[in-house]
Amino acid sequence: MGKQLCGLPLLLLVLLLSSIDGTTQLQSSQSQTLLRLQQLLYYPKVLTSWNNFTDFCNSEPNSSLTVVCYEDSITQLHITGDRRGHMLPKSFSIDSFVTTLAKLPDVKVLTLVSLGLWGRLPDKINRLSSLEILNVSSNFLFGPVPHELSSLASLQTLILDENMFSGLVPDWIGSLPSLAVLSLRKNAFNGSLPSSLSTLSGLRVLSLANNRFSGALPDLSRLTNLQVLDLESNSFGPMFPRLSHKLVTLILSKNMFRSAVSSQEVTSFYQLQHFDLSFNTFVGPFPTSLMSLPAITYLNISHNKLTGRLSTNLSCNSQLMSVDLSSNLLTGSLPDCLKPSSGVSRDVVYGGNCLANANEDQRPVSFCSNEALAVGIIPQRRNRVKSKLGVALGVTGGVLGLILLAGAVFVVLRRVSAKRKATEASPRFIKENVSMGYTSKLLSDARYISQTMKLGALGLPSYRTFSLEELEYATNNFESSAFMGEGSQGQIYRGRLKDGSFVAIRCLKMKKSCSTQNLMHHIELIAKLRHRHLVSVLGHCFECYLDDSTVSRMFFVFEYVPNGELRSWISDGHVGRLLTWEQRISVAIGVAKGIQFLHTGIVPGVYDNNLRITDVLLDSNLAAKISSYNLPLLVEGLGKVSDVKSLNLVSFLNLLAECVLLFFLRWDKLYQEKELQGVIKDEDKVDIYDFGVILLELIVGRPLKAKGQVDVLKEQLQASISADDGARRSMVDPAVHRTCSDQSLKTMMEICVRCLLKDPLERPSIEDVLWNLQFASQVQEGWLHNSNPPSIRGSPSPAASSRLHVTTLELPRDSGYEEHER
């Protein structure tokens, strides 16, 4: 009896310890859920330690993997993989993945970074009803943000960075009362921001950089807790936003702001440390009080049109460590507090202004005066004779009356024509009927350029204003040997800048009555049409009349592309130097990204671009550059029709009609919103067809110059997809048919056939095209690493810039294959 009583405490102790130990053990169902997630993620390296015996709740956490439990349930799951830039296989199902995740109902913090996830984020994500923090950055998720996220009432942090999400930021975002961090960086979101953002009173971080947002910002002054606002690389504008005064970081760089910067507004930012306004068109006086804000440490106002006379006695905050005033219209002298002799070690950049006694490159004061005039900062001189003013007003009134009458007729005709069949011609926002005269021949005929010289070795230089002296130096005073040709919008010269880079320079003669404001509107758009896969405009130059400082001539400076047309690297010439299969995929990705930029990278988008393979040029790294996008025409400023050799009466009338169309499309916004979406959608798919023809020539390696050829090859391609490997390879360019994986080839063929479907509505979206091309590239890369076939061993590998990170746009050109039903 005594032994039994003695053993009782020991038994109770064992039971108590086992009970305590049981509370730290994860439910077996949740353990199995984690192992299932490991399987669905194709056993990434970060999860190699997981197995049936893993004690998940007590595993040592690290920066890549952390599991946190409370009682017997998982409350936090952090997984950071190493698949940045690499998607999971095509068999991956995001739907199955999220369904499995939903079996962890108590998860409050979920981090899934760089795991190669792809697909549309499923609606069932709302089954994770306890979520407070969701981070799925650096994956390949696309499509709109699901509405079901609005039901996650406890959500405090939403991070969707570096994916392919698109569409508008939903209005329901304002229904997340606890949201404190919203980060959507590096996606494809577009449109304007919803006004409901202003209701998120607890929002502390709003990061929207590197998207395609546009338009005016909503009133953010009510976000009294907002500390970080990052809007870099969008198209917001034109007015400086209304903001809370508690901001610590404010980044507005690379947008379309073109208003003044209110000194009274910015001096109230008493907590502001990081302020970046660079690469916009801000005008008016530079608020020098920015340099003395109480907390400021970084200030960048570069590449704007800010004016003002600086003085040596201006003050700076002692904590201000970095200042960039470059490329504005500042005059006067550099403040003493920014000079090395001030005793404070600062990083100061101020070149490209009109400052006196400065060490960095400065322009003459007259340049800043002329530029200020061009952006409307300096009022036009009013010494016109009153009689001339009266005549001008009378003529202007008459012209306005005619325009309004023409506009009224146009609106009526447009509403009638909108009812016609979809196969009839439809109006476009941007595209003009008359080309810029900058043909593919002119752009690609650069074989005389040394292969070691290339423009923008580290990427495209910043868009800037050139001085007339620079262009005269580049062309040796526009001598005849530099003359390349004459198009409908002026003469074109070849030039070489002082840094050794080659450029093409177009000269346009302007009417004396040309509006400088209209010129700047065109330049603002042109400056945005810049992309590493476009033949881009590098800058402009004004030459003014001496009597009244109005613009007499305008120059545009373009980049050169040294390796010529893509076709010459596939089916013409370059014997022994034809593109490899992986390089062809890379080029296709570049062209597709260019089309995507044309459609969504600017507002309004550029559609129905009539693309040809002869419009695709290759740079020194074999990266694609589209050379046929339609720059806006300076109709008002051009000289008489008779002065422009290739501008006949018909094209002039077409051009005039499209300008009236552009004006009234914007004026008649309600009608536009209802009907234009369908028009743009159809024109979107026209470019998809043209891309399909380019892709077809990349595959077969033969020039296609007639619609009949395209139709026949498309049928043959479609038949070979369902056949065997040999049949598919028989369709491919013999130069590469042994060096491509069957899966990669099949994927390329499938997306090519879909692009060439007769019904535009059945053709894939550009996002769908990009996904398939990137998948084909990854399959090909994996096949090369695994097989390393002797036939390609030793061949040059594609340049890094021509792999997955190729991007694109377009300019005017010669016609390629015959016109076809697109």
Side-chain angles (χ1 to χ4, degrees), residues 155-379:
L155 194 63
Q156 300 174 19
T157 297
L158 179 60
I159 303 176
L160 307 179
D161 298 345
E162 297 185 54
N163 280 280
M164 297 186 292
F165 287 106
S166 59
L168 304 175
V169 172
D171 191 61
W172 54 255
I173 201 74
S175 66
L176 297 173
S178 304
L179 196 63
V181 176
L182 177 61
S183 187
L184 309 177
R185 295 183 306 108
K186 295 185 179 180
N187 279 282
F189 289 106
N190 55 32
S192 57
L193 297 182
S195 57
S196 60
L197 268 178
S198 303
T199 65
L200 296 174
S201 58
L203 195 64
R204 303 174 70 86
V205 175
L206 179 59
S207 182
L208 307 176
N210 294 280
N211 278 280
R212 293 158 188 159
F213 292 115
S214 61
L217 286 163
D219 184 356
L220 303 180
S221 60
R222 288 187 290 169
L223 303 183
T224 54
N225 291 301
L226 189 64
Q227 295 182 358
V228 176
L229 178 61
D230 184 359
L231 306 178
E232 181 180 1
S233 294
N234 284 285
S235 297
F236 288 118
M239 303 303 294
F240 190 88
R242 297 187 61 186
L243 303 169
S244 164
H245 296 159
K246 293 184 180 180
L247 281 167
V248 175
T249 298
L250 175 57
I251 302 176
L252 304 178
S253 59
K254 299 178 182 177
N255 277 278
M256 298 183 70
F257 295 107
R258 57 177 184 268
S259 66
V261 181
S262 169
S263 177
Q264 182 177 2
E265 177 77 13
V266 297
T267 52
S268 62
F269 295 148
Y270 60 92
Q271 294 183 359
L272 191 62
Q273 298 176 14
H274 187 111
F275 192 22
D276 190 346
L277 300 178
S278 61
F279 293 93
N280 282 282
T281 318
F282 282 110
V283 298
F286 162 53
T288 55
S289 55
L290 283 172
M291 296 189 297
S292 57
L293 288 176
I296 194 73
T297 60
Y298 177 93
L299 175 62
N300 189 348
I301 64 164
S302 65
H303 294 88
N304 282 285
K305 301 293 182 183
L306 294 171
T307 61
R309 186 174 183 84
L310 303 184
S311 61
T312 56
N313 60 356
L314 288 176
S315 61
C316 304
N317 187 326
S318 60
Q319 301 176 38
L320 183 59
M321 293 292 105
S322 179
V323 181
D324 192 343
L325 309 177
S326 62
S327 299
N328 279 281
L329 305 175
L330 303 174
T331 59
S333 301
L334 188 69
D336 290 339
C337 64
L338 296 181
K339 296 178 180 178
S341 58
S342 66
V344 180
S345 177
R346 291 190 175 98
D347 183 12
V348 181
V349 182
Y350 52 89
N353 285 285
C354 301
L355 300 173
N357 303 320
N359 295 327
E360 295 192 18
D361 292 338
Q362 299 295 314
R363 297 179 169 118
V365 175
S366 60
F367 173 86
C368 290
S369 300
N370 286 334
E371 280 295 292
L373 170 65
V375 295
I377 299 168
I378 299 178

Side-chain angles (χ1 to χ4, degrees), residues 579-587 621-622 777 780 784 795-804:
L579 295 183
T580 64
W581 179 248
E582 54 270 25
Q583 286 172 328
R584 297 182 191 213
I585 300 175
S586 216
V587 166
N621 293 319
L622 299 184
S777 176
Q780 175 69 11
L784 285 175
S795 61
S797 62
S801 62
S802 61
R803 275 192 185 271
L804 284 180

Side-chain angles (χ1 to χ4, degrees), residues 82-217:
D82 57 358
R83 296 189 65 90
R84 190 183 185 92
H86 297 277
M87 289 183 288
L88 289 172
K90 203 170 185 178
S91 55
F92 169 77
S93 169
I94 187 67
D95 189 76
S96 298
F97 182 76
V98 173
T99 300
T100 305
L101 271 177
K103 296 178 181 179
L104 305 175
D106 299 317
V107 169
K108 297 180 182 295
V109 180
L110 181 60
T111 301
L112 303 169
V113 175
S114 297
L115 294 174
L117 306 176
W118 63 266
R120 294 176 179 268
L121 193 61
D123 299 344
K124 61 186 69 174
I125 189 71
N126 66 344
R127 296 181 185 177
L128 296 169
S129 57
S130 301
L131 270 183
E132 297 176 1
I133 297 176
L134 175 61
N135 180 1
V136 291
S137 57
S138 300
N139 286 291
F140 297 89
L141 301 173
F142 56 82
V145 179
H147 180 274
E148 284 68 20
L149 278 178
S150 62
S151 65
L152 301 180
S154 301
L155 194 63
Q156 300 174 19
T157 297
L158 179 60
I159 303 176
L160 307 179
D161 298 345
E162 297 185 54
N163 280 280
M164 297 186 292
F165 287 106
S166 59
L168 304 175
V169 172
D171 191 61
W172 54 255
I173 201 74
S175 66
L176 297 173
S178 304
L179 196 63
V181 176
L182 177 61
S183 187
L184 309 177
R185 295 183 306 108
K186 295 185 179 180
N187 279 282
F189 289 106
N190 55 32
S192 57
L193 297 182
S195 57
S196 60
L197 268 178
S198 303
T199 65
L200 296 174
S201 58
L203 195 64
R204 303 174 70 86
V205 175
L206 179 59
S207 182
L208 307 176
N210 294 280
N211 278 280
R212 293 158 188 159
F213 292 115
S214 61
L217 286 163

Side-chain angles (χ1 to χ4, degrees), residues 581-600:
W581 179 248
E582 54 270 25
Q583 286 172 328
R584 297 182 191 213
I585 300 175
S586 216
V587 166
I589 292 173
V591 177
K593 286 189 175 181
I595 295 172
Q596 184 185 41
F597 182 90
L598 284 172
H599 292 178
T600 60

